[in-house]
Amino acid sequence: MRDNIRIVLVGDVGKSTLVTALIKEVFVVNVQDVVPEVTIPPEVTPENVTTHIIDTPSRGDEQDALETELRKANVVCIVYAVDERESFRRTHEHWLPFLRRQGLSLPVILVGNKVDMRDEDAGPATVLEDEVVPIMNEYREIEICVECSAKALLNVSELFYFAQKAVLHPTRPLYDARDHVMKPECASALTRIFRLCDADGDGVLNDAELNAFQRSCFNTPLQQRELEGVKELVQASRPDGITAGGLNVDGYLYLHLLFIQRGRVETTWMVLRRFGYGDDLSLRDDFLRPECDVPPDCCVELSPGGYAFLTEIFKRYDADRDSALCAAELDNIFSLSPGVPWKHGRFPESTVTNAAGCVTLEGWLAQWSMSTLLDHRLTLEYLAYFGFPGDTRDGICMVARHAGAGGLRRRRKGKQQRSVFLCYVVGAAGAGKSSLIRAFAKKPFASEYTPTARTTATVNSVDVKGAEKYLVMQEFG
């Protein structure tokens, strides 16, 4: 999440007065035309971010300076006076179209200042709330409209809080305000998170799974009374969201829809960011591909934690409990990700399968052992897709490439003994390299000769002095 926010104020009236009222906490009658940039340190802001507030000139002859500030902005506040219809008219006839012409994709806050001047009878010169709603419906970049008063110090600090919130916890990517529904990208991300949290794979978050989810995202458990309250809330409006005493995916999505509609969008964003999603609702690159430098004298293998996690994934998605993953079960696993990462590696032929061609647990772990040795970044990426708890780098470890005295010294320093080895299979065309590799993976002999077109690898476990190791045999096209 970002640690700096630039709030740019535009409009015809009241900008400098609002900034001054925020800083001095008192209304100042005569203020300068443009207040210099104000920087608010993170420790005094609710969102704990450094906030820069930029006032801008209203004169048209300084448009270049205005456009420069807008290009650096994270959020724009358009200020108008609720007792001046002309300034309100300029909001939707000039300022909103002007921002669109700049090609800026920024959240916008409408700021109705001088609310203390509104007539109690709301005469024709007063801008009313119901006049703002059609504009918000037309311009979806508008996050919220805040009415305030610099003179009465009403909602001044709240205005800038909402501006921060529009950047850190934007509503637009999550919610369609016109149709009052969750956007498909948001629903898809939350559905994936639901599946990751459904530890037993039964399509329902029971109390234990809800509590684990709560601790993971918010670092605090739910009391039983609170758990029941959550389910009762869903039951009241979406009875089909509760199944077998737990929250199904429809109920889970409805709960987040309530958070968003009730202005608690930061709750949904905390969940999304905990599971690696960025502001565009795609998984962040730093989450999928964390920095991981491998010393030249080391190679990478799965750690004990990595093996344990992948074993748990195998058991969770083995729906028929036959100790093997069929094509449908594999598709279910890889639906959490962009797909099978070994499409060109003859998977599942590249590893151990049963007589029906389904991947056994031995074959599943062997395949990931090979993948980690050949391309550890791919393994890190898929550990993230599968929901590895904590830092995915804990799922792998460095081991010394070579045995001998150097390897012993490294092991004493904490690096584990090597358990995955790579063997290149070379020879003349037709010599039987592919047949040898197939036999190693316990695949039937193919009598018809087919030249190897691309580099392929096969893996199987071997017993070395009573210890299980993995041997990867690689043939080149």
Side-chain angles (χ1 to χ4, degrees):
M1 193 165 67
R2 67 174 66 245
D3 53 10
N4 273 271
I5 293 176
R6 291 183 70 84
I7 304 173
V8 174
L9 277 67
V10 302
D12 300 314
V13 293
K15 304 184 300 297
S16 303
T17 306
L18 280 171
V19 176
T20 305
L22 174 73
I23 301 305
K24 296 185 176 296
E25 297 184 340
V26 66
F27 177 64
V28 179
V29 177
N30 297 312
V31 296
Q32 59 197 100
D33 290 341
V34 178
V35 175
E37 179 178 323
V38 173
T39 299
I40 301 176
E43 56 268 18
V44 297
T45 63
E47 296 291 347
N48 196 34
V49 291
T50 301
T51 304
H52 307 275
I53 301 173
I54 296 90
D55 189 12
T56 59
S58 301
R59 298 188 304 275
D61 59 350
E62 298 192 42
Q63 183 151 323
D64 288 345
L66 172 61
E67 292 179 2
T68 298
E69 290 297 347
L70 288 173
R71 283 193 291 271
K72 297 186 291 183
N74 300 120
V75 58
V76 178
C77 296
I78 303 178
V79 184
Y80 66 92
V82 299
D83 65 335
E84 298 177 22
R85 297 205 64 82
E86 176 61 19
S87 72
F88 176 68
R89 183 187 64 79
R90 289 261 300 166
T91 295
H92 57 91
E93 291 186 4
H94 171 72
W95 287 109
L96 285 164
F98 170 75
L99 293 177
R100 283 191 172 179
R101 288 196 300 272
Q102 303 304 308
L104 302 171
S105 179
L106 296 173
V108 173
I109 309 292
L110 285 186
V111 182
N113 191 20
K114 299 187 180 181
V115 71
D116 59 294
M117 300 295 291
R118 174 179 283 159
D119 294 336
E120 290 185 6
D121 297 332
T126 301
V127 178
L128 300 176
E129 182 179 350
D130 57 4
E131 295 180 86
V132 176
V133 172
I135 298 173
M136 294 183 68
N137 289 334
E138 180 182 354
Y139 291 90
R140 296 196 179 190
E141 55 265 45
I142 299 174
E143 285 279 326
I144 194 172
C145 178
V146 181
E147 292 192 335
C148 59
S149 168
K151 185 175 183 179
L153 299 180
L154 176 67
N155 286 342
V156 175
S157 60
E158 286 80 0
L159 153 66
F160 294 99
Y161 167 71
F162 281 121
Q164 291 176 332
K165 190 175 175 181
V167 178
L168 300 176
H169 315 298
T171 303
R172 290 182 301 156
L174 310 185
Y175 185 67
D176 188 328
R178 181 176 298 175
D179 298 328
H180 307 291
V181 295
M182 187 181 291
K183 289 188 174 179
E185 298 83 0
C186 177
S188 177
L190 290 173
T191 298
R192 178 178 169 274
I193 292 171
F194 176 91
R195 293 182 58 203
L196 293 175
C197 297
D198 181 16
D200 55 13
D202 66 350
V204 177
L205 294 184
N206 57 37
D207 288 358
E209 290 164 341
L210 279 171
N211 242 326
F213 165 79
Q214 178 77 10
R215 283 194 297 270
S216 174
C217 296
F218 308 107
N219 202 30
T220 178
L222 287 171
Q223 301 300 319
Q224 188 60 38
R225 174 173 43 81
E226 295 172 312
L227 283 168
E228 295 302 326
V230 168
K231 290 184 283 188
E232 288 171 5
L233 179 64
V234 174
Q235 179 83 42
S237 300
R238 284 292 300 269
D240 58 342
I242 301 294
T243 304
L247 210 61
N248 62 27
V249 67
D250 291 334
Y252 179 78
L253 292 177
Y254 175 72
L255 195 60
H256 280 284
L257 181 63
L258 285 181
F259 289 147
I260 296 168
Q261 290 178 334
R262 295 180 179 183
R264 294 176 55 192
V265 68
E266 64 273 14
T267 301
T268 298
W269 273 117
M270 287 178 71
V271 172
L272 290 165
R273 288 178 175 133
R274 160 62 185 82
F275 284 87
Y277 286 91
D279 289 350
D280 60 353
L281 292 182
S282 64
L283 290 170
R284 302 189 314 273
D285 190 69
D286 67 299
F287 177 74
L288 294 176
R289 289 169 281 274
E291 290 186 13
C292 183
D293 296 325
V294 181
D297 62 341
C298 290
C299 58
V300 183
E301 297 182 3
L302 285 170
S303 68
Y307 278 115
F309 174 73
L310 290 169
T311 300
E312 177 190 334
I313 292 293
F314 180 95
K315 292 179 178 178
R316 181 189 302 184
Y317 288 91
D318 179 18
D320 53 11
R321 300 293 184 260
D322 65 346
S323 300
L325 297 175
C326 64
E329 290 165 340
L330 285 169
D331 287 344
N332 197 20
I333 291 178
F334 287 109
S335 66
L336 296 168
S337 70
V340 178
W342 315 292
K343 292 179 180 178
H344 302 298
R346 300 189 309 172
F347 179 79
E349 282 193 10
S350 57
T351 191
V352 181
T353 59
N354 61 15
C358 300
V359 180
T360 62
L361 176 59
E362 178 187 8
W364 173 253
L365 296 179
Q367 181 72 24
W368 282 109
S369 297
M370 174 172 68
S371 180
T372 307
L373 180 69
L374 299 178
D375 185 2
H376 69 277
R377 296 187 185 280
L378 180 68
T379 296
L380 286 175
E381 188 173 335
Y382 273 77
L383 287 175
Y385 285 131
F386 294 159
F388 184 84
D391 191 333
T392 54
R393 287 170 292 193
D394 293 337
I396 62 173
C397 59
M398 311 290 175
V399 294
R401 284 187 178 276
H402 306 290
L408 289 172
R409 283 195 296 272
R410 292 185 189 96
R411 287 199 293 276
R412 291 190 187 109
K413 291 179 181 179
K415 293 186 175 68
Q416 71 177 51
Q417 188 173 357
R418 189 171 180 181
S419 60
V420 187
F421 298 87
L422 175 62
C423 172
Y424 292 148
V425 181
V426 298
K433 302 185 297 297
S434 298
S435 297
L436 174 63
I437 288 176
R438 286 180 59 83
F440 176 64
K442 300 178 182 178
K443 298 296 186 295
F445 177 75
S447 57
E448 183 178 348
Y449 172 67
T450 304
T452 301
R454 64 172 72 233
T455 299
T456 59
T458 299
V459 62
N460 203 345
S461 60
V462 293
D463 183 83
V464 180
K465 297 181 180 179
E468 184 181 61
K469 308 288 184 180
Y470 290 105
L471 178 61
V472 178
M473 300 187 75
Q474 190 171 48
E475 178 188 8
F476 299 92

